[in-house]
Amino acid sequence: MMLSTSRPGLLHAWRTCKPARRMTTGTSAVRDDLRALLRETAQPVAVVTALMDPSTPPDAPPRPGAPPTASPFHGATLSSFSSISMDPHPLVAFSLRIPSRMATALTTAHAAGSLYTHMVINILSARQAETALRFSRVDLYPEPFAGLRHSLTEEGLPVLDGSVGAMSCRLVAASWPLHDLESLTSGGKGATVEWKGEGVASELFIAEVLRVEHTPAEGDTRPLLYHRRGYVTTSRIESKPGSKPSS
């Protein structure tokens, strides 16, 4: 916002006012309060699928006697996903914990620069709660694609059958380390600080949607939502004529 110098009283007030007190956001109390608040909101559940980077170790040690991984794909249930822009570019954002095999796979794909698409984001339907569990618990499902129906995009990436929809995406930039705020505010200059604190660190990924994939409808296509530590779906609230929100 620009302040006009033709209003000396306003300019004087702007010059002499004290800066607002900086809120403390790094305390465990704030995190606990935020978690409690967000549990009251319903979040869409999505699974990102991509080619597996064979050079990275698995997220969980293999079970004794288990055969080597046969699938060339990897997937992960996203704890946060959102559409952030339609114009001039259709963009989505999500975060992944680090270290993780999916974060490494996407970082490697972006660095290679030779792939047209880096990933597919599958928006899960209400019938896919078990699928969300498959891709979030690698300790229980070391082979999440085994027996799971899916098709392939033009680039050979998996689209999960029964999803509300899916989109092929390409990262627009390298991931941003959310534990290193100094790196974010400095435009990514300098070395990234390695996370050594308590809790789980995450990286932010921003991707451009290149194509919405065709997903055959199978019965109920209402979205799967995460609410109050469990999976739910939607139900319509009847509204008065003319009171529907504009799209």
Side-chain angles (χ1 to χ4, degrees), residues 98 176-184 186 188-197 201-203:
I98 55 172
W176 292 350
L178 298 180
H179 64 277
D180 188 1
L181 295 183
E182 185 175 347
S183 174
L184 297 179
S186 64
K189 299 178 181 179
T192 300
V193 177
E194 183 180 354
W195 171 249
K196 296 181 180 180
S202 302
E203 289 185 340

Side-chain angles (χ1 to χ4, degrees), residues 48 50 53 56 59 74 76 94-110 171 175 201-205:
V48 57
D53 182 0
T56 58
D59 292 331
H74 191 46
F94 58 92
S95 63
L96 291 169
R97 67 174 181 84
I98 55 172
S100 70
R101 203 167 192 179
M102 177 57 75
T104 301
L106 294 182
T107 300
T108 301
H110 175 263
L171 293 176
S175 59
S202 302
E203 289 185 340
L204 176 67
F205 294 80

Side-chain angles (χ1 to χ4, degrees), residues 40-149:
E40 300 303 311
T41 66
Q43 306 291 331
V45 183
V47 167
V48 57
T49 55
L51 289 173
M52 184 179 294
D53 182 0
S55 64
T56 58
D59 292 331
R63 295 178 179 178
T69 300
S71 175
F73 308 123
H74 191 46
T77 301
L78 299 176
S79 59
S80 63
F81 166 79
S82 179
S83 169
I84 59 174
S85 172
M86 286 293 175
D87 297 307
H89 306 289
L91 301 176
V92 295
F94 58 92
S95 63
L96 291 169
R97 67 174 181 84
I98 55 172
S100 70
R101 203 167 192 179
M102 177 57 75
T104 301
L106 294 182
T107 300
T108 301
H110 175 263
S114 58
L115 299 176
Y116 178 65
T117 59
H118 297 143
M119 78 209 82
V120 172
I121 297 178
N122 303 266
I123 309 298
L124 300 191
S125 70
R127 299 165 61 248
Q128 293 178 299
E130 192 269 342
T131 300
L133 181 62
R134 272 177 176 251
F135 289 99
S136 64
R137 292 295 304 272
V138 68
D139 56 329
L140 300 179
Y141 299 91
E143 293 285 346
F145 284 98
L148 190 66
R149 294 174 55 189

Side-chain angles (χ1 to χ4, degrees), residues 27-52:
T27 65
S28 59
V30 171
R31 291 194 294 269
D32 291 344
D33 289 345
L34 181 57
R35 289 191 184 100
L37 172 61
L38 294 181
R39 287 191 196 109
E40 300 303 311
T41 66
Q43 306 291 331
V45 183
V47 167
V48 57
T49 55
L51 289 173
M52 184 179 294

